[in-house]
Amino acid sequence: MRTAQLTRETGETEITVEVNLDGSGQSEVDTEVKFLTHMIELLATHSLFDLSVRARGDLIHHVVEDTALALGAAINRALGDRAGIARFGHAVVPLDEALAMASVDLARRPYNVIDLKIDKNGIEDMPREDIYHFARSLATAMEATIHIIVHYGENDHHKVECGIKALARALRQAVAPDPRRPGIPSSKGVI
């Protein structure tokens, strides 16, 4: 089973994460930041990863950043050498008036393009810049290339939510076993 547990403790935060890539979308999430908790629950539900995340910290920014780093590192660890996975995934997801696209490459090349088109200074209890920072930190720690593009929408909550759902669906495809390729999914022979 592709699982990982990770604890990240700094002078600013205490984060504990458990990941099961072959789960059913169950989650137990408590981050003290309501919108962050919501995003991680969405990620679990639509990726079908089982996620347990507990985060405590001094500031919202530190909790968001360290939670993303711990979650990304745990997913990275659960992927192991990445042999036998599809590697790539993509999804287009609507939510009412909003539409988002996400594309993922799990090739250990951390890079991201995140365009959520958030108009306000934040959503619920999470500042706008920290929503972007979550996605970027997740991509870095996961060692993944992640693109999330919101094409349009009027409601900022809907735009971010469909972006996270698209990311979850893309990750679900990318981590899926590829029965036609049991080895490393790269012409180089390594990822």
Side-chain angles (χ1 to χ4, degrees):
M1 201 175 265
R2 300 177 300 165
T3 62
Q5 297 179 348
L6 190 131
T7 299
R8 178 183 173 91
E9 291 186 24
T10 71
E12 302 165 339
T13 61
E14 294 179 18
I15 316 292
T16 304
V17 175
E18 295 180 27
V19 172
N20 177 357
L21 301 181
D22 301 307
S24 60
Q26 300 299 308
S27 65
E28 289 183 31
V29 184
D30 178 10
T31 70
E32 296 184 321
V33 182
K34 291 178 184 176
F35 195 69
L36 175 62
T37 296
H38 180 53
M39 289 194 313
I40 296 169
E41 290 169 343
L42 291 171
L43 189 67
T45 298
H46 296 283
S47 66
L48 295 180
F49 298 171
D50 290 344
L51 300 177
S52 174
V53 178
R54 186 176 188 282
R56 296 290 179 264
D58 58 351
L59 301 173
I60 289 173
H61 176 83
H62 294 152
V63 170
V64 170
E65 178 178 53
D66 285 4
T67 299
L69 291 172
L71 180 57
I75 293 169
N76 193 1
R77 186 179 293 172
L79 283 166
D81 67 1
R82 290 163 161 75
I85 65 168
R87 177 179 157 182
F88 299 100
H90 65 276
V92 177
V93 173
L95 176 59
D96 297 343
E97 85 297 343
L99 184 72
M101 176 278 299
S103 187
V104 172
D105 179 4
L106 297 176
R108 292 192 190 271
R109 294 170 62 111
Y111 193 82
N112 65 81
V113 176
I114 311 297
D115 182 4
L116 302 172
K117 294 189 175 44
I118 302 170
D119 294 321
K120 298 178 184 167
N121 290 330
I123 301 173
E124 309 303 334
D125 60 342
M126 197 165 164
R128 176 186 182 275
E129 63 188 9
D130 288 339
I131 296 168
Y132 280 91
H133 193 49
F134 173 80
R136 291 181 175 129
S137 296
L138 184 70
T140 299
M142 197 185 312
E143 294 186 272
T145 296
I146 294 177
H147 293 246
I148 306 172
I149 309 296
V150 170
H151 293 290
Y152 48 79
E154 295 174 7
N155 182 297
D156 283 346
H157 187 122
H158 291 174
K159 289 185 271 188
V160 173
E161 186 167 321
C162 70
I164 294 297
K165 288 177 180 178
L167 173 61
R169 295 290 300 198
L171 282 169
R172 181 175 165 184
Q173 282 181 9
V175 306
D178 184 345
R180 295 182 61 203
R181 185 191 318 261
I184 301 294
S186 171
S187 60
K188 297 176 188 176
V190 296
I191 289 185

